[in-house]
Amino acid sequence: IAATASMAIWKPVDWILAVGRAVKSQRKVTGGNIRDVTVFDGRYDVFWEQLAGEHMVLAVRDSSYLNWRYSGYPFPGIHSFELSRGKQLLGFSVIHLSLDEDRLRFAAILELAGQVRESGVLEHLLWEATRRAAIAGAHYLIARAPTPECEDLFRDLGFRIREMNYSPVTYKNNSDVPHELFAKDRNWYLSLGDGDGCHYYDS
């Protein structure tokens, strides 16, 4: 029915339905509210200290970095939002809406971080990122997993993985951190454009 309606009005109205088919869990955090972020305040420094203590290696994501990277971002299409309960920051995400080389709309999850002790935070944020991508007309969603928790989440919720033979990010410096901690560079893909399951797009 949705596909027929799409052809009738020349608009793929089934994108929102595809999100529901692809992302099986719509779990939300009790009392949690999504709020747009224009400036990353001091709560993000406290959040970063908590997050950093739970991982052996993690790229810095304090307020100074986040404001430099996203609040002052020179390109359009950046959307930052947080999940909070009152004044307590539970997690945040940043997505980038753009066009690929084939002129297809896509959304890239640039940041996805949540308190490990608070159940359901990452799921709530991922659902919101997916919802925003679908509303914007994105054909697919891509992401990188900054933590093992995110990687497990992407796998469980229908994302597919593509191994990359290069990385624009240096994960390891001249330290004695075991080499085994650094997995191959990978992208996770979720199709929002059809109901045939998830697939990835190659250039």
Side-chain angles (χ1 to χ4, degrees):
I1 295 173
T4 302
S6 297
M7 293 188 295
I9 64 174
W10 294 98
K11 184 179 173 122
V13 296
D14 61 331
W15 279 338
I16 295 295
L17 300 179
V19 174
R21 290 191 295 264
V23 182
K24 303 177 184 65
S25 172
Q26 300 181 25
R27 185 177 182 183
K28 293 188 176 182
V29 175
T30 303
N33 294 304
I34 295 291
R35 186 176 68 87
D36 289 337
V37 176
T38 55
V39 176
F40 298 89
D41 56 32
R43 295 173 304 142
Y44 284 82
D45 293 322
V46 176
F47 179 84
W48 160 247
E49 291 298 330
Q50 295 172 344
L51 189 66
E54 296 167 348
H55 299 88
M56 187 173 181
V57 178
L58 196 65
V60 175
R61 291 294 187 270
D62 59 10
S63 64
S64 177
Y65 170 83
L66 293 171
N67 282 316
W68 168 79
R69 184 68 177 86
Y70 302 116
S71 295
Y73 201 72
F75 301 105
I78 292 294
H79 297 262
S80 305
F81 56 92
E82 69 177 34
L83 177 63
S84 54
R85 183 185 293 121
K87 294 183 178 180
Q88 180 188 13
L89 176 63
L90 302 177
F92 73 97
S93 183
V94 180
I95 64 174
H96 181 212
L97 302 171
S98 189
L99 298 174
D100 65 14
E101 62 275 7
D102 296 317
R103 308 300 293 173
L104 291 176
R105 293 184 180 276
F106 73 94
I109 300 179
L110 305 182
E111 303 286 347
L112 183 67
Q115 289 188 1
V116 175
R117 301 186 189 96
E118 185 78 33
S119 178
V121 170
L122 290 177
E123 290 94 330
H124 195 147
L125 289 167
L126 180 57
W127 177 257
E128 177 64 17
T130 309
R131 186 187 72 83
R132 293 183 179 218
I135 289 175
H139 290 78
Y140 61 96
L141 188 64
I142 62 173
R144 293 197 176 187
T147 65
E149 294 84 5
C150 287
E151 184 165 306
D152 291 341
L153 178 64
F154 292 149
R155 182 183 295 108
D156 292 344
L157 296 187
F159 282 71
R160 288 192 176 182
I161 195 169
R162 184 178 75 176
E163 301 287 349
M164 309 292 288
N165 58 5
Y166 68 91
S167 172
V169 179
T170 299
Y171 293 99
K172 188 174 188 297
N173 57 14
N174 295 324
S175 67
D176 57 358
V177 177
H179 212 40
E180 296 75 32
L181 287 177
F182 300 89
K184 293 180 180 179
D185 192 37
R186 300 184 288 190
N187 276 340
W188 294 83
Y189 285 75
L190 178 69
S191 171
L192 302 181
D194 57 57
D196 297 329
C198 305
H199 57 87
Y200 41 79
Y201 294 75
D202 290 309
S203 57

